[in-house]
Amino acid sequence: DSTLNHSVYHLMYAKELGQTDNMKSTPEFMVQLARDLVVRGARVYIYEQENSQNLEEMEGDSVALKKQEFGTFVSAINKKYLMNNGSYQRMILVQEKPNSKEISNLSVHHFNTSAEGEKLAGSLHEIFKKNWKGKVVIDEDITPLHDDATIYFANNLLPSVITVDLNFNDSKKKEGKAKEKSIKTDLANLITSGILKDYSKTDFSD
């Protein structure tokens, strides 16, 4: 089944603190992902990350700042969740991190107290492992969230949360950027496929 009727997806894209090209707000591949979900009947909310330069002016370590940044979204996300109470709802956080290695790496994480999040993470990971054709290393398995900031975020949200972490080679070359765009387009398509797989396996009889 390729429909996502009565489902709500909360989407957010985040870069590491200190990456000042955040100013473009929501990137093209996340907009593509949102459109793919909407045409299949889902309701989609996109939450835009603040410019990291503003956060760097604040006092505190990087974990505290990241918690503060995520914390600014909690109320808005939970409010939208309650507005759509009774619908199938999930939160997907796509995080981009710099990587000094030559090969890019992709990993999927879930909140360890959420069976629904673990199920969605497993569906996405299965799609990534079977269908990814680019030069990206996919982690062998899904794992629970492991950093304090995202655990804090997930613990305070009403919808089940998963993260898709993309660790890019930090290349500024033109050909590197073209490759990065291609990878992100593939990522949007595969996330959609993983979401459809997860939704099709959900029992709505309750």
Side-chain angles (χ1 to χ4, degrees):
D1 192 352
S2 61
T3 61
L4 294 168
N5 294 330
H6 310 298
S7 68
V8 179
Y9 291 92
H10 305 265
L11 305 179
M12 182 175 165
Y13 165 82
K15 279 197 171 187
E16 289 287 274
L17 293 173
Q19 295 193 59
T20 55
D21 55 342
N22 280 353
M23 288 188 236
K24 193 185 172 182
S25 60
T26 304
E28 185 179 330
F29 82 101
M30 290 294 288
V31 175
Q32 175 194 333
L33 170 60
R35 285 175 180 153
D36 288 345
L37 299 179
V38 168
V39 299
R40 288 170 169 82
R43 176 170 292 180
V44 178
Y45 298 103
I46 297 179
Y47 305 89
E48 294 189 346
Q49 185 185 26
E50 295 294 326
N51 185 353
S52 63
Q53 285 180 311
N54 296 333
L55 289 167
E56 288 178 323
E57 294 171 0
M58 302 175 189
E59 302 250 338
D61 60 33
S62 60
V63 173
L65 291 176
K66 199 67 177 177
K67 282 184 179 180
Q68 184 172 349
E69 181 182 24
F70 281 146
T72 63
F73 293 97
V74 167
S75 177
I77 295 170
N78 286 344
K79 183 177 180 180
K80 292 288 195 301
Y81 179 92
L82 292 172
M83 284 172 53
N84 295 278
N85 194 28
S87 297
Y88 172 92
Q89 302 194 56
R90 299 292 183 266
M91 171 82 203
I92 299 175
L93 170 64
V94 178
Q95 300 188 104
E96 185 180 332
K97 302 178 180 181
N99 179 8
S100 60
K101 298 177 182 178
E102 198 143 328
I103 301 295
S104 298
N105 161 261
L106 184 73
S107 58
V108 185
H109 308 279
H110 60 92
F111 193 33
N112 62 1
T113 61
S114 170
E116 293 88 357
E118 184 174 3
K119 175 174 159 288
L120 175 57
S123 294
L124 263 65
H125 181 265
E126 186 177 339
I127 292 292
F128 292 157
K129 290 288 283 185
K130 286 183 177 179
N131 297 283
W132 199 284
K133 296 176 182 177
K135 292 184 177 179
V136 176
V137 175
I138 311 296
D139 278 12
E140 281 303 309
D141 206 349
I142 60 173
T143 55
L145 297 173
H146 56 273
D147 67 277
D148 288 344
T150 49
I151 290 172
Y152 162 83
F153 190 43
N155 196 42
N156 284 279
L157 288 179
L158 294 174
S160 298
V161 181
I162 71 156
T163 70
V164 178
D165 294 354
L166 188 56
N167 300 284
F168 267 126
N169 178 281
D170 196 19
S171 170
K172 302 300 180 186
K173 297 178 182 178
K174 186 175 181 181
E175 59 268 26
K177 290 298 180 183
K179 178 182 175 183
E180 178 181 320
K181 183 176 180 179
S182 174
I183 289 172
K184 288 179 176 179
T185 299
D186 290 343
L187 179 60
N189 292 333
L190 293 178
I191 289 176
T192 298
S193 296
I195 285 172
L196 289 167
K197 182 179 182 65
D198 171 71
Y199 187 82
S200 70
K201 295 191 299 183
T202 301
D203 182 4
F204 294 101
S205 59
D206 294 337

